Amino acid sequence: MSVIGSPASRAAALRVHGGIGRSVRDSLVVAKRNLIRMIRIPEVVIFGLIQPIMFVVLFSYVFGGSIAVGGNTDPNAYRQFLMAGIFAQTVTFATAGAGAGIADDMHKGLIDRFRSLPMARGAVLTGRTLADLVQTALTLVVLAIVAVIVGWRIHEGVLKALGGFALLLLLGYAFSWIGALIGLSVRTPEAATSGGLIWLFPLTFISNAFVPADNMPTVLRTIAEWNPFSATVQAARQLFGNLPEGYPVPAAWPMQHPVWASLIWSVLIIVLFRTLAVRKFRSATA
């Protein structure tokens, strides 16, 4: 009898598939628990919507006529350029909420109660990040409606637009794992919120989100062009058809191939920070 067809090998295969299935089921259960919690505390979602809507209105009407994009100072041209940056900022700023939620669960001892249950260890973090992804998707829908009201439009068709939103959500999911690691590394939810935001401001502002990077000093321009945040913003603009006519596309590889750059950056961030977060989770609850 071959090794592949032996009872021992079949049993090992069943254990592997059973382990994966159990991890998926446990993750979905934790995600459901967090979604129910969000529904019962709607002010968390409401306040999460107010900030990006304020950014849309303020940037569109306060700075719209002052910033030239591709030599065009038309406020509507800037609105088209701006929206991908606002979308990307919104999905990444959800990182602070993810970190604060996990830190709160750790602080209240909820993680210890999960440990007493026969469930996959990584399911607690995966379920939390999946629930945050659903909330982020809801926020994007509302934000897109507001953007349409102020004049934003897509010009490359619905399928490409959906691809742009998918890249934005993938980036948000990737960054939620950074938030998970921060939440596991601090002692209080307040520290997780501060730690989740302090590095996001330079990441989002040293980018092409709000202004073209070609006017930045050389060092900052190079950072902006290789910034994973910039890659996703550029990819979304390309898929939405929001790159203004005459806009100079930088020669850096991520800006020339933003869709691939966005995918690569997001996958690398997920693999790296999920590994670190799960390892930190196991050591913190051992």
Side-chain angles (χ1 to χ4, degrees):
M1 182 180 292
S2 65
V3 176
I4 295 178
S6 66
S9 65
R10 290 198 298 270
L14 287 172
R15 283 196 299 272
V16 170
H17 291 298
I20 295 174
R22 174 187 171 190
S23 180
V24 170
R25 288 193 301 271
D26 292 346
S27 298
L28 292 176
V29 169
V30 176
K32 181 180 178 181
R33 171 255 174 191
N34 283 285
L35 288 173
I36 292 173
R37 183 183 181 187
M38 291 175 188
I39 293 172
R40 291 176 178 174
I41 313 176
E43 55 266 29
V44 174
V45 180
I46 294 171
F47 290 145
L49 289 171
I50 292 175
Q51 178 179 312
I53 291 174
M54 288 176 59
F55 270 108
V56 170
V57 176
L58 289 174
F59 274 85
S60 296
Y61 292 105
V62 175
F63 301 110
S66 305
I67 299 176
V69 181
N72 190 344
T73 57
D74 180 12
N76 185 59
Y78 181 66
R79 290 190 196 106
Q80 307 304 311
F81 176 85
L82 170 70
M83 288 317 305
I86 296 291
F87 291 151
Q89 184 193 53
T90 300
V91 300
T92 53
F93 271 41
T95 300
I102 290 174
D104 187 49
D105 288 344
M106 292 283 289
H107 184 68
K108 292 179 178 178
L110 183 65
I111 301 298
D112 291 332
R113 291 198 288 273
F114 278 134
R115 285 186 62 211
S116 66
L117 301 174
M119 63 185 300
R121 288 290 181 90
V124 175
L125 300 180
T126 303
R128 174 76 205 197
T129 54
L130 288 175
D132 290 329
L133 180 64
V134 173
Q135 182 178 351
T136 302
L138 175 62
T139 303
L140 269 185
V141 170
V142 176
L143 194 56
I145 294 172
V146 175
V148 169
I149 293 173
V150 300
W152 174 72
R153 297 294 184 270
I154 59 173
H155 304 282
E156 292 291 335
V158 175
L159 289 180
K160 285 190 176 182
L162 290 176
F165 283 116
L167 288 177
L168 289 165
L169 289 174
L170 182 63
L171 180 72
Y173 182 70
F175 274 47
S176 70
W177 282 105
I178 302 178
L181 180 61
I182 293 172
L184 291 167
S185 303
V186 298
R187 296 182 180 181
T188 64
E190 293 78 12
T193 301
S194 300
L197 288 175
I198 193 169
W199 61 275
L200 280 174
F201 280 102
L203 183 79
T204 54
F205 282 93
I206 305 177
S207 72
N208 61 359
F210 307 112
V211 295
D214 56 333
N215 293 326
M216 296 181 182
T218 303
V219 174
L220 293 182
R221 183 173 68 247
T222 302
I223 294 173
E225 291 171 351
W226 287 88
N227 185 342
F229 184 84
S230 293
T232 301
V233 171
Q234 187 79 354
R237 284 192 183 122
Q238 186 180 93
L239 293 170
F240 294 152
N242 291 155
L243 285 173
E245 191 173 337
Y247 177 73
V249 178
W253 187 87
M255 298 295 98
Q256 292 289 327
H257 309 277
V259 174
W260 282 109
S262 177
L263 284 170
I264 291 169
W265 272 120
S266 294
V267 170
L268 286 176
I269 291 171
I270 291 171
V271 171
L272 175 61
F273 283 93
R274 187 185 189 282
T275 302
L276 293 175
V278 171
R279 185 177 299 173
K280 182 72 176 179
F281 175 79
R282 288 174 176 169
S283 64
T285 59

